Amino acid sequence: MRVIAGTARRLPLVTPKGMETRPTTDRIKETLFNILQNDLPGCHFLDLFAGSGAIGIEALSRGAAKAVFVDNSKEALSCIRQNLEKTHLADRAIVIGQDCAGAIHALDAKKMHFDIIFMDPPYGKGLEFQVLEALQGTTLVDEDTQIIIEESLDVTWERAEELGYKIIKVKKYKTNQHVFLKKRGEL
């Protein structure tokens, strides 16, 4: 796995061993960042269930001002830190080693806000909906924040709509999908 474009282009990244982390393939990552390219310069990016940190690092490499990486695996955190050092992007990054709900609470306490929130939770556990629920009423997200969820193809999104989010776009691949959401404005 490598950084595709930007200041850290072509630099290889380390990934956690085993099957608990599914690195996003270069092809899917390229498609995702083609969609996001105009929104990245100067943005604040939150990478939840960050794994190797490849998505947040790609965002930094392509011009994001700041990225926060959240994972609760010690091996993943080690990979993220190594990758940030290797790509010379550590000065624009914060790495948080805890579960996403705890990290959301801590970031909200600091009144942080994000332009783009990306999450790639373990498939089939409903964690994406727990995160969407945890984001409600926080400073992290507003009506302009893009939320992107990478999930298996069999997930349906009615629950997200019930939680007050609207689906902006769905990009399906052979084995998974990216769902783009925004918080619905106050009625």
Side-chain angles (χ1 to χ4, degrees), residues 38-52:
N38 294 329
D39 302 315
L40 289 170
C43 84
H44 287 211
F45 194 96
L46 177 59
D47 189 351
L48 298 171
F49 306 97
S52 67

PDB file of all heavy atoms in Angstrom, residues 38-52:
ATOM      1  N   ASN A  38     -11.756  18.538  -4.501  1.00  0.00           N
ATOM      2  CA  ASN A  38     -11.991  19.982  -4.351  1.00  0.00           C
ATOM      3  C   ASN A  38     -12.269  20.394  -2.911  1.00  0.00           C
ATOM      4  O   ASN A  38     -12.210  21.581  -2.584  1.00  0.00           O
ATOM      5  CB  ASN A  38     -13.143  20.432  -5.248  1.00  0.00           C
ATOM      6  CG  ASN A  38     -12.801  20.287  -6.713  1.00  0.00           C
ATOM      7  OD1 ASN A  38     -11.645  20.404  -7.107  1.00  0.00           O
ATOM      8  ND2 ASN A  38     -13.806  19.997  -7.523  1.00  0.00           N
ATOM      9  N   ASP A  39     -12.576  19.416  -2.052  1.00  0.00           N
ATOM     10  CA  ASP A  39     -12.913  19.713  -0.660  1.00  0.00           C
ATOM     11  C   ASP A  39     -11.723  19.559   0.287  1.00  0.00           C
ATOM     12  O   ASP A  39     -11.818  19.928   1.457  1.00  0.00           O
ATOM     13  CB  ASP A  39     -14.044  18.789  -0.191  1.00  0.00           C
ATOM     14  CG  ASP A  39     -15.280  18.934  -1.062  1.00  0.00           C
ATOM     15  OD1 ASP A  39     -15.652  20.087  -1.355  1.00  0.00           O
ATOM     16  OD2 ASP A  39     -15.851  17.916  -1.466  1.00  0.00           O
ATOM     17  N   LEU A  40     -10.621  19.002  -0.190  1.00  0.00           N
ATOM     18  CA  LEU A  40      -9.495  18.690   0.686  1.00  0.00           C
ATOM     19  C   LEU A  40      -8.606  19.871   1.076  1.00  0.00           C
ATOM     20  O   LEU A  40      -8.205  19.963   2.239  1.00  0.00           O
ATOM     21  CB  LEU A  40      -8.627  17.601   0.054  1.00  0.00           C
ATOM     22  CG  LEU A  40      -9.262  16.214   0.041  1.00  0.00           C
ATOM     23  CD1 LEU A  40      -8.437  15.263  -0.806  1.00  0.00           C
ATOM     24  CD2 LEU A  40      -9.411  15.684   1.446  1.00  0.00           C
ATOM     25  N   PRO A  41      -8.257  20.782   0.162  1.00  0.00           N
ATOM     26  CA  PRO A  41      -7.314  21.836   0.546  1.00  0.00           C
ATOM     27  C   PRO A  41      -7.798  22.640   1.756  1.00  0.00           C
ATOM     28  O   PRO A  41      -8.890  23.201   1.759  1.00  0.00           O
ATOM     29  CB  PRO A  41      -7.227  22.716  -0.710  1.00  0.00           C
ATOM     30  CG  PRO A  41      -7.545  21.774  -1.831  1.00  0.00           C
ATOM     31  CD  PRO A  41      -8.610  20.853  -1.258  1.00  0.00           C
ATOM     32  N   GLY A  42      -6.981  22.627   2.811  1.00  0.00           N
ATOM     33  CA  GLY A  42      -7.274  23.380   4.018  1.00  0.00           C
ATOM     34  C   GLY A  42      -8.302  22.769   4.951  1.00  0.00           C
ATOM     35  O   GLY A  42      -8.622  23.349   5.983  1.00  0.00           O
ATOM     36  N   CYS A  43      -8.818  21.590   4.636  1.00  0.00           N
ATOM     37  CA  CYS A  43      -9.875  21.002   5.460  1.00  0.00           C
ATOM     38  C   CYS A  43      -9.320  20.353   6.732  1.00  0.00           C
ATOM     39  O   CYS A  43      -8.134  20.076   6.841  1.00  0.00           O
ATOM     40  CB  CYS A  43     -10.688  19.991   4.657  1.00  0.00           C
ATOM     41  SG  CYS A  43      -9.978  18.334   4.580  1.00  0.00           S
ATOM     42  N   HIS A  44     -10.224  20.118   7.668  1.00  0.00           N
ATOM     43  CA  HIS A  44      -9.923  19.344   8.869  1.00  0.00           C
ATOM     44  C   HIS A  44     -10.599  17.990   8.686  1.00  0.00           C
ATOM     45  O   HIS A  44     -11.805  17.919   8.463  1.00  0.00           O
ATOM     46  CB  HIS A  44     -10.427  20.056  10.116  1.00  0.00           C
ATOM     47  CG  HIS A  44      -9.590  21.243  10.472  1.00  0.00           C
ATOM     48  ND1 HIS A  44      -9.406  21.667  11.751  1.00  0.00           N
ATOM     49  CD2 HIS A  44      -8.857  22.092   9.710  1.00  0.00           C
ATOM     50  CE1 HIS A  44      -8.609  22.714  11.769  1.00  0.00           C
ATOM     51  NE2 HIS A  44      -8.277  22.998  10.527  1.00  0.00           N
ATOM     52  N   PHE A  45      -9.800  16.919   8.782  1.00  0.00           N
ATOM     53  CA  PHE A  45     -10.207  15.575   8.397  1.00  0.00           C
ATOM     54  C   PHE A  45     -10.153  14.663   9.619  1.00  0.00           C
ATOM     55  O   PHE A  45      -9.159  14.640  10.330  1.00  0.00           O
ATOM     56  CB  PHE A  45      -9.231  15.076   7.321  1.00  0.00           C
ATOM     57  CG  PHE A  45      -9.676  13.851   6.574  1.00  0.00           C
ATOM     58  CD1 PHE A  45     -10.308  13.969   5.347  1.00  0.00           C
ATOM     59  CD2 PHE A  45      -9.438  12.578   7.076  1.00  0.00           C
ATOM     60  CE1 PHE A  45     -10.698  12.838   4.634  1.00  0.00           C
ATOM     61  CE2 PHE A  45      -9.825  11.446   6.376  1.00  0.00           C
ATOM     62  CZ  PHE A  45     -10.462  11.576   5.156  1.00  0.00           C
ATOM     63  N   LEU A  46     -11.210  13.897   9.842  1.00  0.00           N
ATOM     64  CA  LEU A  46     -11.262  12.925  10.935  1.00  0.00           C
ATOM     65  C   LEU A  46     -11.326  11.533  10.342  1.00  0.00           C
ATOM     66  O   LEU A  46     -12.221  11.222   9.562  1.00  0.00           O
ATOM     67  CB  LEU A  46     -12.477  13.190  11.834  1.00  0.00           C
ATOM     68  CG  LEU A  46     -12.724  12.225  12.992  1.00  0.00           C
ATOM     69  CD1 LEU A  46     -11.536  12.173  13.954  1.00  0.00           C
ATOM     70  CD2 LEU A  46     -14.001  12.621  13.738  1.00  0.00           C
ATOM     71  N   ASP A  47     -10.349  10.687  10.697  1.00  0.00           N
ATOM     72  CA  ASP A  47     -10.250   9.309  10.210  1.00  0.00           C
ATOM     73  C   ASP A  47     -10.554   8.373  11.372  1.00  0.00           C
ATOM     74  O   ASP A  47      -9.711   8.154  12.243  1.00  0.00           O
ATOM     75  CB  ASP A  47      -8.841   9.083   9.643  1.00  0.00           C
ATOM     76  CG  ASP A  47      -8.678   7.759   8.905  1.00  0.00           C
ATOM     77  OD1 ASP A  47      -9.594   6.912   8.963  1.00  0.00           O
ATOM     78  OD2 ASP A  47      -7.615   7.568   8.280  1.00  0.00           O
ATOM     79  N   LEU A  48     -11.781   7.841  11.406  1.00  0.00           N
ATOM     80  CA  LEU A  48     -12.214   6.938  12.467  1.00  0.00           C
ATOM     81  C   LEU A  48     -12.001   5.490  12.043  1.00  0.00           C
ATOM     82  O   LEU A  48     -12.176   5.154  10.877  1.00  0.00           O
ATOM     83  CB  LEU A  48     -13.690   7.168  12.785  1.00  0.00           C
ATOM     84  CG  LEU A  48     -14.053   8.561  13.309  1.00  0.00           C
ATOM     85  CD1 LEU A  48     -15.563   8.731  13.374  1.00  0.00           C
ATOM     86  CD2 LEU A  48     -13.431   8.799  14.672  1.00  0.00           C
ATOM     87  N   PHE A  49     -11.659   4.615  12.996  1.00  0.00           N
ATOM     88  CA  PHE A  49     -11.276   3.231  12.699  1.00  0.00           C
ATOM     89  C   PHE A  49     -10.132   3.287  11.681  1.00  0.00           C
ATOM     90  O   PHE A  49     -10.172   2.669  10.626  1.00  0.00           O
ATOM     91  CB  PHE A  49     -12.451   2.417  12.137  1.00  0.00           C
ATOM     92  CG  PHE A  49     -13.693   2.440  12.995  1.00  0.00           C
ATOM     93  CD1 PHE A  49     -14.719   3.325  12.727  1.00  0.00           C
ATOM     94  CD2 PHE A  49     -13.834   1.566  14.063  1.00  0.00           C
ATOM     95  CE1 PHE A  49     -15.875   3.350  13.510  1.00  0.00           C
ATOM     96  CE2 PHE A  49     -14.984   1.577  14.846  1.00  0.00           C
ATOM     97  CZ  PHE A  49     -16.008   2.471  14.571  1.00  0.00           C
ATOM     98  N   ALA A  50      -9.112   4.059  11.995  1.00  0.00           N
ATOM     99  CA  ALA A  50      -8.099   4.481  11.027  1.00  0.00           C
ATOM    100  C   ALA A  50      -7.195   3.370  10.497  1.00  0.00           C
ATOM    101  O   ALA A  50      -6.600   3.534   9.434  1.00  0.00           O
ATOM    102  CB  ALA A  50      -7.248   5.599  11.628  1.00  0.00           C
ATOM    103  N   GLY A  51      -7.046   2.266  11.203  1.00  0.00           N
ATOM    104  CA  GLY A  51      -6.193   1.176  10.698  1.00  0.00           C
ATOM    105  C   GLY A  51      -4.765   1.632  10.507  1.00  0.00           C
ATOM    106  O   GLY A  51      -4.092   2.028  11.454  1.00  0.00           O
ATOM    107  N   SER A  52      -4.295   1.640   9.293  1.00  0.00           N
ATOM    108  CA  SER A  52      -2.926   2.086   8.982  1.00  0.00           C
ATOM    109  C   SER A  52      -2.821   3.603   8.884  1.00  0.00           C
ATOM    110  O   SER A  52      -1.724   4.147   8.820  1.00  0.00           O
ATOM    111  CB  SER A  52      -2.463   1.475   7.664  1.00  0.00           C
ATOM    112  OG  SER A  52      -3.228   2.002   6.594  1.00  0.00           O
TER     113      SER A  52
END
